[in-house]
Each structure stands twice: as structure tokens, then as C-alpha cells.
Amino acid sequence: LEKYDEVICELNSRGFDVWSMDWRGQGLSGRTTDNPKKGHISDFQSYIEDLQWFLGLIGDDKDAETILIGHSMGGHVILRALLSGLVKVDRAIVTAPMIDLPMNKVVSAAVAVLCSAACMVGLGTRYAIGFGDSDPARGTFDGNPLTRDRDRFAAIHSATAATPGAEMGGPTFGWLNAALNSIGALRTLSRSTTAPCPILLCTALEDVVVSVEAQHAFSEAQPSCTQIRFENAAHEILQETDAIRDRFWKSFDRFIAPP
């Protein structure tokens, strides 16, 4: 949550009280394995339970709207919880939500079989193939998949460096297995259930971390969903260039404006 200081200040300037949470296994929240760098979970239902707990902690202010904002995996959890009827809020905003991973059907099926098999033989907490305690691709600005803004890229790493214990490595077989299972559950829900509140879905068209096409499909299937497509934006829309962020905040202000 430390990397969202700028965003929180912008929300405060609009009159919002802001509560923020790191999911279990991330940031400074408790870890689920002995190695604090591993991104691991056995079932995304645990994340949904975290969200339910979080909203219960905040409480229900009858005189104000509750608006959920979630990014990437957090956006996925919010969408699944909403469509499952497990949380109730007035509005939701998701940026670059992980509705699916950027793989074709053949590769996705192969990865699913591999991860499921690894979990069955007790390797669920092992790093998935190609991942480890650090991700070299995210360590330098040139070619990074997160943002085209050099200063905000540096700020993300400065916030991490200033917060010992917050740095994450890659996902485990177990996390990937749980993610693919949850992606299937969300896909089924999106085709059979209508979201109970308005959703603003912000899609970064240059995203290579999550599937852009899946976000288009979700938006088309959900009548209460408004999709904004951001050209030239990488995965971290809220950490992007001023021009992209200005467009986000204009979309945000329109979305929350009274009818």
C-alpha cells in the first residue's frame, strides 16, 4: 500500500477517507510460506475472506458511499466477490484487473495441468518455472511491464526499498493453480450473473501482465460495467504518465458524480 501514497492524497483532496489493505502474503501482511518473497495462496477464496474482513473492519457509513478500488489481482478479487454476492458496496473501480492471464487456450491448459500436478505431489509452495526471489525484468526501467513514467517507476522501488519485508518475488505453483481456478470461476460468473453495483473498468491497452481481451469480454457481458481503454498505458495505470493519470481522474470524477 506504500506505493499508493500519491493516489491516496488525490482521493483525500476529493474529500474521501481512504482505507487500504495489503492482501495476505503481500506487502507487510502476514506470509503464507517460510520464504517471505514467495507469492503463494492455496485458494483465492482466502482473498475474498480478506476483503469481507476488511469491509467489516471499516464498517458501514449510512451517510456516505463505499467505493472499492482494486488493481490487477485485487481487481479480480473484487469482481468475483461482487458477482458472488459476498460483498456489497455502492461502486467499484478496477484498474487492469486480472480477469485472465495473457495466454492462449493451449498454453493456459498446459499451465493448468502442470500447476495442478505440482500441487498434487506436494510442490505447491515451490516457485513456478521461471520465477524466483527476484524478478530481473522489473528491476530496470527500460522495457519494464509496469509504467512508462520513469519517476513513478523509481518511486515504486523507493517505497519498496524503504519498507523492509515488503518486496515480493514470483508466484508459486500453488498461487498459479489457485489463480487459474479463480479465473474460471469468474468467467462463469460473468456470463451468468449481473454485478450488483456500477463498475468502472480501466484497461491498459499495452498491458502484458494480464489479458486485455478478457477485460473487453467482461465489460461486454456486464451491463453495469463502464470500460475506459487507455492507449499507451502499461499495467500500472495509477503509476503511469501524467497524461494517462489525468484521463483516469477525469473518468473517476464522472463515474462518482451524482446522476
Side-chain angles (χ1 to χ4, degrees):
L1 61 84
E2 283 77 11
K3 76 178 185 181
Y4 288 106
D5 179 70
E6 182 181 19
V7 175
I8 291 171
C9 289
E10 289 163 319
L11 288 166
N12 288 157
S13 73
R14 287 168 166 78
F16 287 99
D17 293 328
V18 181
W19 293 66
S20 186
M21 175 191 73
D22 286 328
W23 304 100
R24 70 176 73 189
Q26 298 184 9
L28 293 182
S29 289
R31 292 299 191 259
T32 57
T33 70
D34 292 337
N35 183 345
K37 298 294 184 68
K38 288 183 176 180
H40 177 73
I41 202 76
S42 297
D43 192 325
F44 269 39
Q45 183 63 33
S46 297
Y47 292 138
I48 293 176
E49 291 170 2
D50 289 343
L51 182 59
Q52 291 175 302
W53 168 85
F54 181 61
L55 291 173
L57 179 69
I58 296 171
D60 185 11
D61 186 346
K62 300 297 183 183
D63 297 323
E65 282 196 337
T66 298
I67 302 173
L68 275 177
I69 302 179
H71 172 69
S72 196
M73 187 201 81
H76 171 101
V77 176
I78 286 173
L79 294 177
R80 188 176 156 196
L82 285 173
L83 267 63
S84 299
L86 297 175
V87 300
K88 293 182 179 180
V89 294
D90 297 290
R91 302 173 194 268
I93 299 169
V94 290
T95 59
M98 189 191 73
I99 295 173
D100 202 348
L101 298 175
M103 301 183 288
N104 63 43
K105 292 182 178 179
V106 174
V107 173
S108 181
V111 172
V113 170
L114 174 62
C115 292
S116 178
C119 292
M120 289 178 64
V121 297
L123 301 179
T125 59
R126 296 278 189 92
Y127 275 120
I129 296 172
F131 294 98
D133 282 353
S134 63
D135 185 352
R138 300 193 178 204
T140 57
F141 176 75
D142 293 335
N144 84 86
L146 302 180
T147 175
R148 303 293 182 260
D149 189 286
R150 186 179 294 272
D151 290 338
R152 290 192 175 95
F153 179 85
I156 292 174
H157 287 271
S158 294
T160 302
T163 314
E167 185 179 4
M168 296 291 297
T172 63
F173 282 117
W175 188 93
L176 274 175
N177 186 60
L180 292 170
N181 288 337
S182 192
I183 283 168
L186 179 57
R187 183 184 301 116
T188 299
L189 282 168
S190 69
R191 294 170 178 170
S192 60
T193 308
T194 299
C197 70
I199 296 171
L200 180 65
L201 192 159
C202 300
T203 300
L205 293 182
E206 300 298 320
D207 204 335
V208 296
V209 178
V210 297
S211 170
V212 171
E213 290 73 18
Q215 294 173 54
H216 298 338
F218 181 92
S219 179
E220 291 171 0
Q222 290 294 315
S224 62
C225 181
T226 299
Q227 184 187 32
I228 308 295
R229 303 182 181 188
F230 292 82
E231 295 181 357
N232 303 316
H235 185 59
E236 293 272 6
I237 293 173
L238 292 174
Q239 309 289 345
E240 261 293 1
T241 60
D242 287 344
I244 291 169
R245 295 181 82 260
D246 286 347
R247 187 176 174 216
F248 168 82
W249 286 116
K250 288 177 182 177
S251 301
F252 175 94
D253 291 336
R254 286 194 299 270
F255 181 67
I256 67 168

